[in-house]
Amino acid sequence: MGSSHGQRLGITEPISLAGPTDDDLMRTRKLEKYLRDVNLYESQEEAVSREEVLGRLDQIVKIWVKKISRAKGLNDQLLQEANAKIFTFGSYRLGVHGPGADIDTLCVGPRHATREEDFFGELHQMLTEMPEVTELHPVPDAHVPVMKFKFSGVSIDLLYARLSLWVIPEDLDISQDSILQNADEQTVRSLNGCRVTDQILRLVPNIQNFRTTLRCMRFWAKRRGVYSNVAGFLGGINWALLVARICQLYPNAVPSMLVSRFFRVYTQWRWPNPVLLCAIEEGSLGLQVWDPRRNPKDKYHLMPIITPAYPCMNSSYNVSTSTLRIMMDEFQRGHEICEAMDKNEADVDWDTLFEPFTFFEAYKNYLRIDISAENADDLRNWKGWVESRLRQLTLKIERHTYNMLQCHPHPGDFSDKSKPLYCSYFMGLQRKQGVPVGEGEQFDIRLTVKEFKQAVSMYTLRKPGMQISVAHVTRRNLPNFVFPGGVRPSRPSKGTWDSRRALERKVSSHTKPGADDGRKRKQTDDNVDTHLRNAKCHATMPSSSGEFREGSPIMSTISSSSINLQFEHMDANELAGSNREKVENNLTDSIRGSRNSVEVSLHNGKVDGPMIGDPRNKGLSFNSSNSKDAEKLAIEKIMSGPYVADQAFPLELDQLEDDLELKNQAKDFAGSAQNNSLGSCAVNIAAEATLTSMNGGSSSSALSPNGGLGELETVELTAPFSNVIPSAPVPQRKPLIRLNFTSLNKAT
């Protein structure tokens, strides 16, 4: 498709119809070359191999459906017409896959081909007997049941949709809503991927520009550590929807412009305003769509990115307060770099934008989650389960500390070559910046980690040897296998954009009394808190009447902060509940007094009032204007209307649903969980201000290029801490935060 000057795509008018300048075209050529140089495009040979594999897979499912039709005694006519068909979706269908990427595929079969008996039974057996099929791994109990395998070396994720048709026509159009009639929930979810992918391609003005921009943003997100749906960040479909919306708002822009506008728009976006490519249609089949008015859990989504195909859903429900804060910080960083590129600043180019995030330099305190199993198959199953639960650990820590303790989950896993059946995950930890801390203030997360480990232990397919431990580790005690090549860097990274900015903030904090503390994510904390106020958001849509409804211990001393670590052994039954009433009351009063209204219209998917390009609003036209203020106003206008997001005390509905699900699975583990003797490690974080003004009033903690909190120190074993948190900080004294969490054993 070419650039669209006629029919409008999206729920609003474009922000700008401007085309590229010569500089924009030059930057686009450099961007495309950069993407080729980093090997983001597959070779022609690999492309041909993928097509051959898909053709072979299509033949296999056709043979399979005839085989089961014959076994079920269908008449000759139905037997002759028996058919199944393979569709693709995801990155392959969007045309943004890279070398070695898997192919998301969907098998559509007739009503007599069942999922349990025929797909995961007969078809699985057929694939097992084929020599070109390896690493076959069925996951029938997943939210979207899938068979994973390699076919001639090409990774395949195969879903199944059982339609109500006796015969599957070869020219089947799955974009029609009627295809969902009488379909079970698993089929609806399985079809959703293909339907959403096809709809995205229909809703962007220029497919080639969309693909190049999306390929760029996917690579950027992976380099910056924010590409992972399961970890609470965004996955492939989320990034595709965000990019598609930018393409709608700037229909004549080329990829370099679209990347810049991506950061410009989403830096200003007021979440939880939803990102929509089209109107949310109710449909005629009665399927549930995303609607905060009717579905209580939809009110608590922090970063709604709505799929464009019926039934419209929020594709980013995994996002938490911490991961939203991290992504907003990365959007701000990207915006600053693109602004510098637009100004042709020296030493700022595409390499700067794609600098990897140095996760193991960014914090000084980490949670380490180690898992192990007795064989490779058990480890693969155990990993899949644990990874699906890690998000719950982040949510529980956020909820139990009222978002005062911030978590940054690393989206990947790490393996020690000396331990082949062993895997580790890491989360960066830091206290929320910019919040006064009282003497003796304490966050007890022992129960939090205990609950997490008990939840993980409820895995119904758990086998002997499947173990998990949670421990605290400081940056200096991180294992070598987390670093590239297994070699710990001798010194922190220098000369990067992040290190230069950290140094600038440090200098600024020393020269300006009362300046912000220079910590890595302080600015974004303020932006996010403007919308969240340390709490989850209630998003509501207008009613029809227009009314709103509601290692070894190491001693160290750091001037900016000191952190103490001790280990003590306690039985799980001795872990008492935390007394957080005072904090809850304080936060509730604060939230009650500072409700925010965030507005965007969802009336038939259209924004009310004049928009950019509207004849009633000619003064806001941004076709040729270079005014950033006008564009900012246009972005604000996109989010205007009677959509309200109220701040409320954090209540994790997704968390509660998952807990309920786990309890239902816990029949074999309920008794054993109560008798486990668990170790406890108590972390005491004492943050001491380093900069005090001459008046003795304001203070600010400077951030070294490494960022994060101070190192851990060993202290003598002490009595259990009280959980009472003072209502107000004591001025000019060392504030203290204590964190306690359980661990089977200390990480080594």
Side-chain angles (χ1 to χ4, degrees):
M1 295 176 62
S3 297
S4 174
H5 290 275
Q7 182 181 5
R8 186 186 77 185
L9 296 174
I11 62 171
T12 68
E13 296 289 343
I15 291 176
S16 172
L17 295 175
T21 64
D22 290 341
D23 285 345
D24 293 324
L25 294 174
M26 179 187 66
R27 276 192 287 268
T28 294
R29 287 192 293 269
K30 289 183 178 180
L31 174 60
E32 291 171 342
K33 181 180 184 302
Y34 185 96
L35 299 180
R36 288 193 297 270
D37 290 345
V38 294
N39 197 33
L40 291 189
Y41 295 87
E42 67 178 356
S43 65
Q44 183 62 31
E45 294 77 10
E46 187 174 1
V48 171
S49 175
R50 288 175 183 271
E51 292 177 2
E52 292 175 349
V53 166
L54 289 173
R56 183 77 178 96
L57 187 58
D58 192 61
Q59 293 175 353
I60 292 170
V61 298
K62 285 173 166 51
I63 295 172
W64 161 72
V65 79
K66 287 186 179 294
K67 183 176 181 180
I68 62 172
S69 298
R70 186 179 296 107
K72 294 177 183 290
L74 270 63
N75 60 47
D76 292 342
Q77 181 179 354
L78 286 178
L79 184 60
Q80 184 178 359
E81 296 176 346
N83 190 34
K85 187 170 173 59
I86 291 291
F87 294 86
T88 62
F89 61 101
S91 63
Y92 184 82
R93 176 71 180 93
L94 289 172
V96 296
H97 60 288
D102 59 6
I103 305 179
D104 295 313
T105 57
L106 170 71
C107 174
V108 176
R111 61 188 304 169
H112 58 275
T114 65
R115 177 177 292 101
E116 295 78 11
E117 179 182 351
D118 297 324
F119 181 76
F120 284 107
E122 184 62 35
L123 181 58
H124 177 269
Q125 183 61 35
M126 289 175 60
L127 293 173
T128 302
E129 297 170 356
M130 301 181 66
E132 57 264 58
V133 175
T134 58
E135 301 180 26
L136 180 59
H137 177 52
V139 192
D141 297 326
H143 185 66
V144 182
V146 60
M147 270 202 290
K148 298 173 176 284
F149 55 93
K150 287 188 176 180
F151 196 108
S152 298
V154 177
S155 297
I156 301 289
D157 285 355
L158 181 62
L159 312 182
Y160 180 64
R162 178 191 182 190
L163 303 187
S164 59
L165 305 174
W166 282 104
V167 176
I168 303 299
E170 196 63 26
D171 60 350
L172 179 68
D173 181 7
I174 60 175
S175 67
Q176 299 297 318
D177 292 350
S178 59
I179 206 76
L180 303 175
Q181 192 141 13
N182 299 322
D184 58 53
E185 290 186 8
Q186 292 172 319
T187 290
V188 172
R189 289 195 289 265
S190 298
L191 285 166
N192 190 57
C194 288
R195 288 166 54 81
V196 168
T197 303
D198 290 347
Q199 188 72 344
I200 289 174
L201 294 176
R202 294 188 187 100
L203 290 172
V204 293
N206 185 300
I207 291 179
Q208 187 56 50
N209 287 342
F210 164 74
R211 284 174 170 162
T212 301
T213 307
L214 178 56
R215 196 182 291 272
C216 169
M217 295 311 305
R218 284 163 55 94
F219 179 65
W220 171 84
K222 292 174 182 178
R223 297 278 281 191
R224 300 303 299 174
V226 291
Y227 188 100
S228 174
N229 186 280
V230 70
F233 296 107
L234 301 181
I237 189 62
N238 311 127
W239 292 110
L241 292 169
L242 291 182
V243 170
R245 184 62 180 132
I246 299 302
C247 291
Q248 290 180 341
L249 295 174
Y250 301 89
N252 299 318
V254 293
S256 65
M257 298 170 63
L258 292 170
V259 171
S260 175
R261 279 24 171 214
F262 180 97
F263 292 118
R264 186 179 300 172
V265 170
Y266 292 122
T267 296
Q268 299 180 46
W269 200 268
R270 296 195 312 272
W271 305 103
N273 284 292
V275 172
L276 300 161
L277 297 187
C278 61
I280 296 180
E281 302 291 346
E282 291 291 336
S284 59
L285 302 179
L287 299 176
Q288 180 173 298
V289 299
W290 187 81
D291 187 346
R293 296 171 302 181
R294 304 174 184 174
N295 309 320
K297 67 177 183 178
D298 292 347
K299 298 179 181 180
Y300 296 90
H301 293 166
L302 299 183
M303 193 180 189
I305 304 172
I306 310 304
T307 57
Y310 177 76
C312 297
M313 323 174 178
N314 177 23
S315 64
S316 52
Y317 58 87
N318 275 351
V319 173
S320 69
T321 304
S322 289
T323 54
L324 175 59
R325 171 185 57 86
I326 293 164
M327 286 187 286
M328 289 295 292
D329 182 69
E330 290 298 333
F331 291 162
Q332 180 64 35
R333 173 189 178 273
H335 175 58
E336 292 173 0
I337 292 174
C338 288
E339 290 285 290
M341 291 176 64
D342 289 341
K343 297 174 183 176
N344 294 315
E345 291 187 11
D347 300 326
V348 180
D349 53 17
W350 293 115
D351 268 322
T352 310
L353 181 66
F354 296 119
E355 285 174 358
F357 177 64
T358 51
F359 180 80
F360 292 108
E361 294 179 13
Y363 302 96
K364 294 188 178 180
N365 299 281
Y366 298 86
L367 276 185
R368 173 176 172 178
I369 300 96
D370 295 328
I371 65 171
S372 59
E374 292 186 349
N375 57 65
D377 287 339
D378 285 354
L379 182 61
R380 182 171 59 248
N381 294 334
W382 187 227
K383 277 182 62 178
W385 170 251
V386 172
E387 286 175 358
S388 71
R389 312 316 303 170
L390 286 176
R391 169 179 169 269
Q392 298 304 317
L393 179 57
T394 301
L395 291 176
K396 285 176 182 291
I397 291 175
E398 289 177 354
R399 184 177 63 176
H400 292 173
T401 65
Y402 303 100
N403 296 318
M404 299 300 178
L405 179 61
Q406 298 174 334
C407 302
H408 184 168
H410 191 287
D413 60 84
F414 298 86
S415 299
D416 186 350
K417 292 182 179 179
S418 65
K419 301 177 181 179
L421 299 176
Y422 182 94
C423 184
S424 298
Y425 303 89
F426 291 85
M427 290 184 180
L429 291 177
Q430 70 176 11
R431 180 179 62 83
K432 177 180 175 59
Q433 281 85 49
V435 176
V437 183
E439 172 111 12
E441 185 170 7
Q442 180 179 123
F443 300 109
D444 185 349
I445 61 171
R446 291 177 298 178
L447 283 177
T448 304
V449 176
K450 176 192 173 190
E451 288 176 7
F452 166 73
K453 293 169 67 175
Q454 287 180 336
V456 171
S457 299
M458 293 174 184
Y459 182 41
T460 55
L461 301 178
R462 189 176 184 183
K463 296 181 180 179
M466 291 182 175
Q467 300 294 331
I468 181 170
S469 64
V470 181
H472 177 274
V473 61
T474 65
R475 186 176 62 209
R476 64 175 59 187
N477 289 331
L478 286 167
N480 289 337
F481 63 77
V482 305
F483 299 103
V487 178
R488 181 187 299 269
S490 58
R491 60 183 59 189
S493 302
K494 293 184 178 180
T496 65
W497 175 276
D498 295 336
S499 63
R500 293 196 302 268
R501 287 298 179 269
L503 182 60
E504 290 173 4
R505 295 188 185 108
K506 181 177 181 179
V507 171
S508 175
S509 67
H510 278 283
T511 57
K512 296 180 181 179
D516 78 53
D517 63 6
R519 292 186 183 274
K520 176 170 181 61
R521 303 193 184 274
K522 173 68 169 67
Q523 182 175 3
T524 299
D525 287 347
D526 294 338
N527 293 339
V528 174
D529 291 341
T530 299
H531 315 316
L532 301 182
R533 297 294 184 189
N534 304 326
K536 298 300 178 189
C537 299
H538 285 223
T540 61
M541 292 170 61
S543 65
S544 57
S545 63
E547 299 177 353
F548 298 123
R549 311 291 185 191
E550 287 284 328
S552 58
I554 294 181
M555 296 291 294
S556 67
T557 302
I558 306 296
S559 61
S560 60
S561 60
S562 62
I563 305 172
N564 302 322
L565 170 68
Q566 71 178 39
F567 284 89
E568 58 183 346
H569 295 283
M570 299 178 61
D571 188 89
N573 295 327
E574 297 178 12
L575 300 177
S578 299
N579 178 10
R580 302 186 178 92
E581 292 181 1
K582 187 169 294 186
V583 171
E584 180 174 348
N585 292 335
N586 291 342
L587 284 176
T588 305
D589 291 340
S590 174
I591 293 163
R592 188 178 296 116
S594 59
R595 293 268 177 130
N596 292 337
S597 292
V598 184
E599 304 176 348
V600 73
S601 169
L602 290 177
H603 284 310
N604 299 321
K606 297 180 180 179
V607 173
D608 293 339
M611 298 300 299
I612 299 303
D614 191 304
R616 297 169 293 173
N617 219 3
K618 293 180 180 179
L620 291 180
S621 178
F622 200 73
N623 291 1
S624 59
S625 173
N626 292 323
S627 169
K628 296 293 176 64
D629 291 338
E631 186 169 14
K632 183 176 181 179
L633 181 60
I635 295 171
E636 287 292 319
K637 194 65 180 177
I638 289 173
M639 295 183 289
S640 66
Y643 175 89
V644 177
D646 288 332
Q647 311 308 323
F649 192 76
L651 176 62
E652 296 287 357
L653 290 188
D654 288 343
Q655 168 84 45
L656 297 178
E657 290 177 352
D658 288 329
D659 287 348
L660 180 60
E661 172 191 345
L662 289 171
K663 290 177 182 177
N664 293 334
Q665 297 181 11
K667 296 179 181 179
D668 297 331
F669 299 94
S672 61
Q674 298 177 356
N675 300 321
N676 288 338
S677 179
L678 303 175
S680 168
C681 97
V683 184
N684 307 321
I685 304 180
E688 181 177 1
T690 58
L691 299 176
T692 305
S693 68
M694 297 299 293
N695 296 329
S698 63
S699 64
S700 176
S701 299
L703 175 69
S704 68
N706 297 329
L709 298 173
E711 296 292 355
L712 298 184
E713 299 178 7
T714 304
V715 296
E716 297 297 325
L717 194 66
T718 59
F721 301 116
S722 168
N723 290 320
V724 178
I725 304 176
S727 58
V730 179
Q732 300 180 352
R733 297 185 65 181
K734 178 186 293 184
L736 182 67
I737 301 178
R738 296 187 177 121
L739 304 119
N740 303 319
F741 55 91
T742 56
S743 174
L744 284 176
N745 58 289
K746 182 179 179 181
T748 57

